[in-house]
Amino acid sequence: MTKVITREEQQEKYTWNLKNIFESDEAFEEKYKELEGRLGEAEQFEGNIDSLERLSEALHTQRELTEEIGKLFVYSHLKHDQDTSNDTYSGMEAKARTLVVKFNTAWSFLVPEILQIDEDALEEWRQDERLSEFSFDLEKLNRKREHILSDKEEKLMAQAGEVLSNPTSTFGMFNNADLEFPDAIDAEGNAHTLTQGTYIDLLKSSDRELRRSAYENLYKTYGSFKNTLSQTLQGVVSTHVFEAQARGYESARHQALSNNFIPEEVYDNLVATVNKHLHLLHRYTELRKQLLGLDTLKMYDVYTPMVKDVDFKMEYEEAKEWMLNSLEPMGEEYVGIVKEGLENRWVDVYENKGKRSGAYSSGTYGTNPFILMNWQDNVNNLFTLTHEFGHSVHSYYSRQNQPSNMSGYSIFIAEVASNFNEALLADYMFRNLEDKKKKLYLLNEQLEGFKGSVFRQTMFAEFEHKIHTMKEEGEPLTAGSLNEVYGALNRKYFGDVMEYDEYIEVEWARIPHFYMNYYVYQYSTGYAAAASLSKQVLEEGSETAERYINEFLKKGSSDYPINVLKNAGVDMTTAEPVENAMKVFESQLDQFEALLKEI
């Protein structure tokens, strides 16, 4: 067993350099005290946003404080995540979070007061150069004005927030804290702990009896609570419908998508186009059955790898070269930013005792991006590193080219740059790998990623919209009706090759994203947009790469997300991007089948 080192044993060159934010913990504390003392600055504006000048001063003051508090928060959470067992940094992060809450509370008056300004007056004010960097934010507020209620009604809605969130919090507590599963038993009679965290790993096992046991034990447990869970899900759907009706939206979906100004046709185009190409998923599912050598394919067989016994070791230093080479189609500037990140310690590479698990890209306005990894010497970690650098370069460009209030980006486009990077890496590796088994393994991973991010998430999106529509039409959401809808969707998506059972019908009961109000479709649209954009860059060259950088990566939230993507070359209001993504999937499937014949 490899020993896990302590934080102190890490080599500095493989850790992130947080001195780029604060030179020392003492400097953090000094800034904390300063900003804590400035919380009262909000009071001078409350009740006094009565002129263009006062509005400008308030917005600039709030933005300045937001930038500084952002640095405090990022420094503290990165310090905490590098060693969660360090009480000093746990306390530091808690202090920063508390300061954020106090700041948000102090400035909570601002948006309601802006919306009390006459619409025509606000429209005139936002044309003034003093508000030029806030003009788009004010435009978005004005567009939502018709759905803002009276002061008394808004106060009631706010007070009802805790009650309305009960179905979600109840499900979360039940799903994460209370629910326990029987052990899964393998072919030799050995017991394996079954939890939310181990479930997918058990389904990846080559032991089919272990897969079956894990699958059945998980869904038997959920099934025993199906009536309770149907009520929590119905509760959150009812909340979405109530809020949409109270605010004058046409439907719950209309409200959810309007929050990011996404036309509903984007949702409908996604579902229709994916349905049009379900024959590709059916073909892939049939191929899985053949490669696994099964007489019947069951739902517990869909995660186990089709390509086995491939030793695809990848050390960190080698991985950096693969990544940099794969990104060359993006040009010298783009690759130079990635090199800067690798050379100037943006990445915290290796695991140590107490370090937060997983991987992410972080940072804030006024800092460089920071990437957390827990590196293991395999090709999957190479893809994770490349994925996170996609996020980091996106953030780097947007922060360099936009003011802080427009340097972020919505969840609708957040995963595009990361999946775009992965697509370039996959293309480069496939063209440059000589080992055919490694090529097969790589293609298998790409096909699985597409299946999970596009086909499966679109199926979720169909289910989510169906149950909201049922509620809006007065149909009760019972365990039986939810099972029926979900089971029918599984049969449609996986086709006749799959042998179905009653267990999969209750999968809806374990999906937390169904409590997140029309969230899942964005995984599919983001993945499809990335596939389409990467295909364009690889086929068309440097001009298209420059367009992607200038019209997408640098834009932050300076325009509506649907327009940012459209200007980059992907119009999500049409079927074309999803069609292009399906062509990528079909091409990879063709390559996979062709390689199988060569081995």
Side-chain angles (χ1 to χ4, degrees):
M1 179 180 292
T2 303
K3 176 190 173 185
V4 179
I5 62 175
T6 65
R7 186 66 188 177
E8 291 70 27
E9 292 173 323
Q10 290 274 26
Q11 293 186 56
E12 184 179 77
K13 66 179 180 178
Y14 293 125
T15 62
W16 46 34
N17 181 16
L18 301 187
K19 290 185 177 181
N20 288 345
I21 310 177
F22 292 109
E23 183 63 31
S24 64
D25 294 347
E26 290 74 24
F28 168 92
E29 293 294 344
E30 289 177 14
K31 179 59 70 172
Y32 178 89
K33 290 177 183 177
E34 175 194 331
L35 293 173
E36 188 177 38
R38 295 186 64 186
L39 289 175
E41 291 184 22
E43 296 174 4
Q44 63 180 302
F45 300 105
E46 188 169 4
N48 295 312
I49 309 296
D50 53 6
S51 67
L52 187 157
E53 291 77 9
R54 290 295 286 170
L55 176 58
S56 174
E57 188 178 355
L59 290 173
H60 280 88
T61 301
Q62 184 199 41
R63 184 173 70 180
E64 177 202 349
L65 290 169
T66 299
E67 292 172 8
E68 294 301 310
I69 290 175
K71 293 175 186 176
L72 280 179
F73 177 75
V74 166
Y75 181 85
S76 66
H77 100 74
L78 296 179
K79 280 283 192 177
H80 171 259
D81 288 356
Q82 71 187 28
D83 185 359
T84 59
S85 65
N86 188 312
D87 289 343
T88 298
Y89 295 128
S90 295
M92 180 182 285
E93 185 195 36
K95 283 175 58 177
R97 287 185 182 277
T98 299
L99 187 65
V100 170
V101 172
K102 289 180 179 179
F103 173 79
N104 289 337
T105 301
W107 285 90
S108 62
F109 69 89
L110 187 56
V111 169
E113 287 203 23
I114 292 173
L115 288 171
Q116 289 177 11
I117 300 169
D118 178 77
E119 184 173 358
D120 292 336
L122 186 60
E123 181 64 22
E124 181 180 343
W125 288 5
R126 76 179 190 85
Q127 309 300 327
D128 191 281
E129 63 178 13
R130 286 167 288 183
L131 290 174
S132 60
E133 292 184 338
F134 301 98
S135 177
F136 184 54
D137 293 331
L138 295 173
E139 177 186 320
K140 289 185 290 185
L141 276 179
N142 250 350
R143 284 189 61 178
K144 290 185 176 181
R145 187 186 290 265
E146 65 178 299
H147 301 293
I148 303 299
L149 307 176
S150 69
D151 290 349
K152 184 177 180 181
E153 289 169 330
E154 285 293 345
K155 187 174 182 179
L156 281 172
M157 291 289 281
Q159 291 173 337
E162 184 175 355
V163 176
L164 295 175
S165 67
N166 270 342
T168 300
S169 58
T170 299
F171 171 78
M173 185 63 70
F174 174 81
N175 204 42
N176 297 316
D178 293 341
L179 198 59
E180 295 183 354
F181 308 99
D183 288 343
I185 308 300
D186 65 24
E188 297 180 353
N190 299 312
H192 299 255
T193 301
L194 175 60
T195 67
Q196 303 281 13
T198 64
Y199 176 62
I200 296 300
D201 285 338
L202 292 173
L203 286 197
K204 291 180 179 179
S205 171
S206 59
D207 183 337
R208 197 180 192 210
E209 178 57 28
L210 178 59
R211 300 200 302 267
R212 184 197 63 77
S213 176
Y215 170 82
E216 291 185 359
N217 286 352
L218 185 96
Y219 289 121
K220 280 179 183 176
T221 303
Y222 275 104
S224 67
F225 295 102
K226 62 184 179 183
N227 293 311
T228 297
L229 292 173
S230 69
Q231 290 305 295
T232 60
L233 186 55
Q234 177 170 240
V236 78
V237 171
S238 297
T239 295
H240 298 159
V241 172
F242 162 72
E243 290 180 341
Q245 291 175 345
R247 294 190 177 282
Y249 288 95
E250 296 173 10
S251 66
R253 189 179 75 168
H254 180 216
Q255 180 182 18
L257 271 64
S258 291
N259 286 333
N260 281 324
F261 304 96
I262 305 298
E264 289 188 86
E265 62 199 281
V266 172
Y267 205 101
D268 293 330
N269 278 335
L270 170 70
V271 171
T273 309
V274 169
N275 272 260
K276 177 183 172 183
H277 292 279
L278 284 179
H279 63 93
L280 294 175
L281 181 58
H282 299 166
R283 176 180 156 195
Y284 181 54
T285 305
E286 175 66 43
L287 182 61
R288 169 172 286 278
K289 177 183 175 182
Q290 294 173 14
L291 289 179
L292 295 179
L294 299 173
D295 294 329
T296 59
L297 188 71
K298 303 285 286 187
M299 289 303 301
Y300 51 77
D301 297 317
V302 299
Y303 286 101
T304 189
M306 297 189 297
V307 180
K308 303 179 186 294
D309 303 322
V310 178
D311 182 16
F312 210 152
K313 187 176 181 180
M314 181 69 63
E315 294 183 353
Y316 180 66
E317 296 300 329
E318 181 186 3
K320 292 194 296 185
E321 293 305 312
W322 278 105
M323 176 174 65
L324 290 169
N325 290 336
S326 72
L327 298 177
E328 286 184 358
M330 294 306 300
E332 290 184 8
E333 182 184 76
Y334 188 101
V335 175
I337 295 169
V338 178
K339 285 181 178 178
E340 180 184 342
L342 293 170
E343 294 167 0
N344 293 334
R345 296 173 51 202
W346 292 5
V347 188
D348 204 86
V349 182
Y350 293 108
E351 183 182 8
N352 57 248
K353 289 181 180 178
K355 187 175 178 180
R356 174 176 166 164
S357 61
Y360 62 66
S361 172
S362 185
T364 189
Y365 197 85
T367 77
N368 57 256
F370 295 92
I371 294 173
L372 180 134
M373 293 288 297
N374 282 274
W375 187 268
Q376 302 295 318
D377 289 339
N378 58 57
V379 72
N380 290 337
N381 273 246
L382 163 59
F383 275 87
T384 300
L385 181 68
T386 307
H387 179 103
E388 299 305 338
F389 259 106
H391 286 306
S392 290
V393 176
H394 190 183
S395 296
Y396 178 91
Y397 269 124
S398 63
R399 291 168 189 158
Q400 291 288 321
N401 290 277
Q402 301 296 335
S404 63
N405 57 295
M406 291 193 291
S407 65
Y409 36 84
S410 77
I411 188 64
F412 183 73
I413 61 176
E415 293 297 329
V416 173
S418 52
N419 285 313
F420 176 94
N421 266 19
E422 285 200 61
L424 293 189
L425 175 63
D427 176 81
Y428 177 80
M429 292 191 78
F430 186 80
R431 287 186 287 105
N432 288 276
L433 283 170
E434 296 181 359
D435 188 318
K436 291 181 179 179
K437 282 194 172 182
K438 288 184 176 180
K439 284 189 171 187
L440 270 179
Y441 177 89
L442 183 65
L443 283 170
N444 188 186
E445 290 296 302
Q446 294 303 299
L447 292 166
E448 282 295 296
F450 194 100
K451 181 191 77 175
S453 295
V454 180
F455 286 115
R456 181 170 167 81
Q457 298 299 330
T458 303
M459 183 182 78
F460 286 173
E462 278 205 67
F463 176 77
E464 187 173 20
H465 186 48
K466 175 64 176 176
I467 63 176
H468 279 81
T469 302
M470 289 170 63
K471 187 65 183 177
E472 287 164 342
E473 294 176 351
E475 296 183 49
L477 300 181
T478 65
S481 64
L482 293 170
N483 282 1
E484 183 179 353
V485 171
Y486 198 86
L489 283 169
N490 260 276
R491 288 188 288 275
K492 179 174 76 169
Y493 271 74
F494 286 94
D496 295 336
V497 69
M498 185 72 69
E499 184 173 293
Y500 298 95
D501 53 51
E502 72 276 14
Y503 299 112
I504 195 60
E505 293 182 352
V506 79
E507 186 181 35
W508 58 265
R510 66 175 285 260
I511 308 299
H513 291 84
F514 293 150
Y515 292 78
M516 297 173 67
N517 200 9
Y518 285 93
Y519 186 91
V520 292
Y521 83 99
Q522 296 169 117
Y523 288 115
S524 301
T525 53
Y527 199 101
S532 183
L533 285 166
S534 60
K535 184 173 183 288
Q536 291 177 41
V537 168
L538 289 169
E539 291 177 351
E540 299 168 13
S542 59
E543 288 188 9
T544 304
E546 289 176 11
R547 183 185 68 203
Y548 170 71
I549 291 171
N550 293 325
E551 299 300 330
F552 180 76
L553 297 180
K554 292 182 178 181
K555 290 299 182 180
S557 56
S558 62
D559 199 352
Y560 298 107
I562 201 75
N563 291 343
V564 172
L565 276 176
K566 185 181 294 185
N567 292 335
V570 175
D571 185 354
M572 295 304 297
T573 64
T574 72
E576 185 179 7
V578 185
E579 289 278 4
N580 286 338
M582 289 296 167
K583 291 176 183 177
V584 172
F585 181 79
E586 186 172 21
S587 173
Q588 291 172 340
L589 189 53
D590 290 341
Q591 291 172 330
F592 190 82
E593 290 175 335
L595 264 178
L596 283 172
K597 295 176 182 178
E598 297 178 16
I599 295 177

